[in-house]
Amino acid sequence: MPTDLAVIGAGPAGLAASLAACARGVRVTLIDAAPEPGGQFHRQPAAGLRAARPEALHHRWRTWTRLRDGLAAGSVRLLTEHHVWGVERTSGGLTVHALLGPDQEEPAEVHARAVLLATGGHETVLPFPGWTLPGVVTAGGAQAMLKGGLVTPGRTAVVAGTGPLLLPVAAGLAAAGVTVAALVESAGPERLPRHAVTLAGKFPEAAGYAARLLRHRVPFLARRTVVRAHGDERLTGVTVAALDAHGGVRPGTERLLPCDTLAVGHGMLPHTDLAEALGCRLDGLTVAVDEEQRTDVPGVWAAGEATGVGGAALALAEGHIAGRSVVARLRGTAPDPRQWAPAARVRARARRHAAALGSVYAPPARWTDRVTDDTVVCRCEEVTAGAVREALALGAGDARTVKLLTRAGMGWCQGRMCQPAVAGLAGCEPTPSRRPFARPVPLGVLAGQHSEEGHS
Amino acid sequence: MSESLTCDVVVVGAGMTGAACALYAARAGLSVTVVDRGPVAGGTTGAGEGNLLVSDKAPGPELQLALLSLGLWAETAKELGAAVEYEAKGGLVVARTPEALDSLRAFAAAQRAAGVTADPVTADGLHDLEPRLAPGLAGGVHYPQDAQVMPALAAAHLLRASGARLLTGREVTRVLRAPGGAVRGVRTDRGDVQAPAVVNAAGTWGGELAARAGVLLPVLPRRGFVLVTEPLPPRIRHKVYAADYVADVASDSAALQTSPVVEGTAAGPVLIGASRERVGFDRSLSLPAVRALAAGATALFPFLSGVRALRTYAGFRPYLPDHLPAIGPDPRAPGLYHACGHEGAGIGLATGTGLLIAQSLTGRTPALDLTPFRPDRFPRTTKETAR
């Protein structure tokens, strides 16, 4: 079915864009892999779970109800459980390729004049000894279990790593009845005041979480890190140690915290696969966009975490601006930015916050020192840190060559999980890695499209 | 940091060909320095499948080089086989129609006369060799000499075995020439390396390196995509491809041509390779190319329809206008040797190339006549323009 605008991703950015464009007469198709719209931020419990108070687990519930009601009232065509693997430029515009069904085997296409990439981000987890034990989950994964499945991952949890996500995860677990033994944050608290001015807008939110943590007696251990997870069959505890000013462990500060769950996260990375395959210019690890959220590929916009990790408020603002821009551009006119001035102010402020947070929450400088040679770095291909170091000794020198020599990042997840770790071990900055297929595609689906193209 | 180093020979290029040149030169007693602007295996080597093939080559100088090389690969594998994932799996070329089978059999007969082992296989016999092949094929030819390595590992391990000094992340900005014209080393962005001999093993960049030595070598890129599936238990035993692949390899057409070469790997994924198109250095994804690969592969092996492609990657095969590599001394610049332009066959042809270069460097008679590979065989007027 033809549409004017195909929006990929039904999180805050995609929803805001869809509503902004639909309200102004653009035919919008909103596509998402999940069964319900909302994205990770507004992830909804499955209807069958009959959640009595789903809002209890959510931040900014009113924003969500406004988006949800707008979606219900408007004429946005919503395609859930559509797993997009690629976007293709065609003579008539753009074609979004997705896979349907429980096994993601059935192809589906959406033809559109414009595409908005609102693909969000994914969590980074850096390896440490024991991190592959059952019971170790990502911070975002723990949150998704709470929000989407209304289940808790365990009874006693440690939340660890770095980044603003750890606070709501710890607070959410505690509220759900999990004993949170500690929130272990590798950033130092004394760095926060330096950014007090730019972070001022964030404080009420952080203060709210802090109050909840206090109420549940969750110890906040700043400038500490998990050096090892223990257990044979599954997790039984973690060793936590204090960090010195250079990111090294202070000798003698190791302490064992018994727990059956470790929720760990080291920040977010943007999903840029679709943009890269389309040939959009990237700015470092993010999709480069102009003031209207346009990429440099005609007909392709991007908004939300894909253009830089900055949270839901930024995603909403960018999505709104993108939606308004699409409306004007599809009519062949230049938009008037004054129409979205409030959103532009939110965007500017939120980007400053994101930059400040990014400088506060960084993994400790010497985390690779604590990754022992037998620690698995790439779980898909079972590549150890020792194998990565061996590849470096063979002359690899960069993450791509490490991948070639070790197969790290060549497996099912295509390096989404291990890429930052491999780059860190190689001593280089993470670079966008080319993933022409945003998810695995059956060869039969590709072959079927070949015959449709009329080749022999 | 700038420093000046001295050695017997500088090899420019830390890919498969450069690694083999370094290995054989070192074994001939020369002190070798390998320089690359990127890491090890950063160019075409890192984007290939690791084909060591005689099956796709018509009688002639390239086939002679392939036969020499495959023998040397088998020797090398005795020492490094596991590290480089060497597998003497053999090739199986299939024909869909009786007409195609006739041409294939005639082609194989000529190869046999040139020293290739090429055993005809009946339609029924195909499934003994490859049980999962599609039904209804006319027949084929089995090439037991065809083999496989993991190219990036092969380059890295041959370089290590050579003991050569490896300088990665250094771009050669100029090949230094003495007033009389003789080569005396290279200038890099981080210092000079003095040597009386320089080997151009720079792959697709070989034309540019030749220009930096002041000579013409019209190396052009031909883009190829390879599709990689999810890891599978071993189901495909040989390198299997359709007979029309042979025609594509020798083609002069700029348009996309595909004919699937399908093979399992030691690590589990199935590789589906060898789309070929001339589009300059454009690395962006071409869905038509990967769709054609998928269609060809599933036609040969129907079970692949339900198998997922995890990724696809593009590489640039360096070729010269007559589709033969440039190997040997360059009379226009004494001390300059070329070892590039192997197109999609460089992994397989690397060992023979390395040996021939080492023999030339040490003044011995090369194992093959180098006349067809002369680097100065292209007059300026025939230079093609890469788009």
Side-chain angles (χ1 to χ4, degrees):
Chain A
M1 187 196 283
T3 192
D4 295 324
L5 171 64
V7 176
I8 303 169
L15 284 166
S18 298
L19 297 182
C22 180
R24 290 160 185 84
V26 168
R27 289 178 301 173
V28 179
T29 300
L30 176 59
I31 308 164
D32 199 279
E36 305 282 339
Q40 168 78 351
F41 192 79
H42 297 298
R43 187 181 296 277
Q44 297 306 306
L49 294 173
R50 298 170 195 273
R53 286 174 55 245
E55 67 273 23
L57 294 166
H58 282 269
H59 184 61
R60 295 217 180 103
W61 183 253
R62 267 176 312 178
T63 307
W64 162 244
T65 54
R66 191 165 50 78
L67 292 169
R68 182 191 61 191
D69 296 346
L71 198 61
S75 57
V76 172
R77 184 166 69 122
L78 178 64
L79 301 177
T80 55
E81 296 183 89
H82 277 59
H83 303 263
V84 175
W85 61 263
V87 182
E88 184 179 19
R89 278 197 268 182
T90 49
S91 52
L94 294 142
T95 301
V96 179
H97 294 284
L99 297 166
L100 303 179
D103 298 321
Q104 298 181 34
E105 280 175 341
E106 190 191 327
E109 291 176 7
V110 175
H111 304 281
R113 294 165 63 205
V115 164
L116 171 68
L117 305 172
T119 44
H122 63 95
E123 217 176 354
T124 305
V125 176
L126 300 172
F128 51 90
W131 77 298
T132 54
L133 278 170
V136 181
V137 297
T138 66
Q143 191 180 47
M145 284 167 84
L146 273 179
K147 286 183 178 177
L150 303 176
V151 292
T152 58
R155 286 160 186 264
T156 307
V158 169
V159 178
T162 190
L165 180 63
L166 300 185
L167 279 168
V169 169
L173 287 170
V178 176
T179 303
V180 180
L183 196 173
V184 183
E185 165 62 61
S186 63
E190 75 289 347
R191 298 206 57 194
L192 282 162
R194 200 185 302 171
H195 301 281
V197 176
T198 40
L199 287 173
K202 273 275 181 195
F203 268 163
E205 191 178 323
Y209 290 128
R212 284 166 75 180
L213 291 178
L214 206 61
R215 187 162 3 114
H216 292 286
R217 299 174 188 281
V218 174
F220 184 87
L221 307 180
R223 210 201 261 175
R224 283 187 179 74
T225 191
V226 169
V227 292
R228 180 176 282 275
H230 305 279
D232 295 327
E233 303 271 296
R234 59 166 296 123
L235 184 72
T236 55
V238 296
T239 296
V240 172
L243 294 165
D244 64 24
H246 309 291
V249 162
R250 280 176 200 271
T253 60
E254 292 90 348
R255 204 173 119 197
L256 180 72
L257 295 178
C259 58
D260 61 12
T261 300
L262 172 64
V264 62
H266 297 100
M268 300 261 290
L269 283 175
H271 266 305
T272 55
D273 306 341
L274 296 174
E276 275 187 272
L278 270 167
C280 300
R281 187 172 67 82
L282 298 194
D283 185 2
L285 295 172
T286 64
V287 183
V289 288
D290 66 7
E291 285 295 305
E292 294 176 36
Q293 301 294 136
R294 289 183 299 176
T295 72
D296 64 339
V297 171
V300 180
W301 280 254
E305 311 288 47
T307 68
V309 172
L314 176 57
L316 283 170
E318 290 190 350
H320 179 80
I321 292 166
R324 301 284 293 254
S325 166
V326 168
V327 172
R329 295 291 170 186
L330 285 184
R331 288 185 187 133
T333 59
D336 178 1
R338 285 173 301 186
Q339 292 175 340
W340 62 63
R345 280 194 297 274
V346 171
R347 179 175 66 179
R349 198 165 60 229
R351 282 181 180 166
R352 283 198 304 275
H353 291 159
L357 286 171
S359 65
V360 172
Y361 294 113
R366 296 178 57 192
W367 65 269
T368 53
D369 293 0
R370 296 183 282 276
V371 182
T372 52
D373 276 352
D374 61 349
T375 304
V376 169
V377 172
C378 166
R379 303 174 78 151
C380 301
E381 294 286 334
E382 295 178 357
V383 179
T384 62
V388 171
R389 289 173 177 138
E390 166 71 13
L392 294 168
L394 272 172
D398 68 344
R400 177 179 176 269
T401 316
V402 168
K403 173 176 160 178
L404 281 171
L405 296 180
T406 63
R407 306 193 52 76
M410 285 198 188
W412 193 262
C413 90
Q414 288 292 290
R416 287 181 180 85
M417 194 58 132
C418 68
Q419 189 194 19
V422 170
L425 288 167
C428 47
E429 289 292 311
T431 50
S433 72
R434 293 166 181 279
R435 295 188 195 101
F437 304 127
R439 62 183 65 230
V441 191
L443 289 170
V445 168
L446 291 172
Q449 292 173 344
H450 177 65
S451 29
E452 283 163 25
E453 280 172 3
H455 294 277
S456 57
Chain B
M1 192 179 66
S2 183
E3 55 185 318
S4 189
L5 303 166
T6 306
C7 57
D8 293 332
V9 54
V10 175
V11 175
V12 184
M16 189 66 250
T17 304
C21 290
L23 180 71
Y24 288 98
R27 288 195 177 161
L30 301 175
S31 68
V32 184
T33 300
V34 177
V35 185
D36 198 295
R37 57 183 174 152
V40 167
T44 306
T45 299
E49 305 136 277
N51 284 331
L52 316 182
L53 300 186
V54 290
S55 56
D56 64 340
K57 292 171 183 67
E62 195 189 8
L63 179 59
Q64 293 310 307
L65 179 59
L67 285 165
L68 172 68
S69 297
L70 265 65
L72 294 168
W73 269 117
E75 294 271 309
T76 308
K78 285 177 192 160
E79 189 187 332
L80 295 171
V84 305
E85 297 180 7
Y86 176 85
E87 221 181 327
K89 54 166 53 176
L92 181 63
V93 184
V94 301
R96 293 196 180 88
T97 62
E99 297 75 39
L101 185 60
D102 287 346
S103 331
L104 175 62
R105 294 259 164 94
F107 184 71
Q111 289 174 312
R112 269 195 299 278
V116 173
T117 309
D119 305 323
V121 183
T122 62
D124 294 341
L126 287 177
H127 292 88
D128 297 334
L129 290 170
E130 283 293 343
R132 289 174 182 268
L133 266 178
L137 297 164
V141 175
H142 179 221
Y143 293 88
Q145 288 158 310
D146 284 358
Q148 182 174 337
V149 291
M150 199 296 190
L153 285 173
H157 283 281
L158 262 63
L159 274 173
R160 174 180 278 186
S162 76
R165 181 203 301 265
L166 176 61
L167 304 175
T168 52
R170 287 199 197 194
E171 179 169 335
V172 171
T173 53
R174 194 146 66 87
V175 175
L176 303 170
R177 310 272 300 265
V183 161
R184 56 178 183 84
V186 296
R187 175 149 297 160
T188 78
D189 51 0
R190 285 193 284 156
D192 292 355
V193 185
Q194 312 283 344
V198 172
V199 177
N200 173 12
T204 50
W205 200 54
E208 176 60 32
L209 188 82
R212 291 179 190 193
V215 295
L216 170 83
L217 191 68
V219 181
L220 298 165
R222 187 142 90 155
R223 183 172 75 177
F225 279 98
V226 176
L227 260 177
V228 187
T229 72
E230 60 189 296
L232 301 174
R235 287 184 186 165
I236 299 173
R237 302 170 182 175
H238 301 82
K239 288 180 177 281
V240 182
Y241 60 93
D244 41 0
Y245 175 80
V246 178
D248 286 353
V249 170
S251 167
D252 270 328
S253 166
L256 167 69
Q257 298 153 51
T258 45
S259 43
V261 180
V262 185
E263 63 187 303
T265 60
V270 171
L271 302 185
I272 301 160
S275 65
R276 289 160 188 272
E277 53 194 320
R278 278 192 233 150
V279 290
F281 283 106
D282 178 2
R283 199 179 276 281
S284 59
L285 172 66
S286 161
L287 278 173
V290 300
R291 283 174 181 136
L293 287 173
T298 53
L300 278 179
F301 289 100
F303 84 94
L304 287 175
S305 282
V307 170
R308 281 164 205 268
L310 289 191
R311 60 198 171 93
T312 178
Y313 54 86
F316 298 98
R317 284 77 169 125
Y319 74 98
L320 288 157
D322 59 2
H323 298 281
L324 284 176
I327 302 171
D330 192 327
R332 301 165 295 182
L336 178 65
Y337 297 75
H338 297 278
C340 59
H342 297 77
E343 198 161 350
I347 308 301
L349 301 179
T351 46
T353 302
L355 178 71
L356 294 170
I357 290 291
Q359 288 167 334
S360 304
L361 284 166
T362 50
R364 289 173 215 175
T365 307
L368 293 178
D369 175 18
L370 294 182
T371 312
F373 307 120
R374 276 190 313 124
D376 59 338
R377 65 188 189 268
F378 305 102
R380 253 173 207 287
T381 49
T382 68
K383 185 181 175 188
E384 296 187 27
T385 45
R387 278 196 295 140

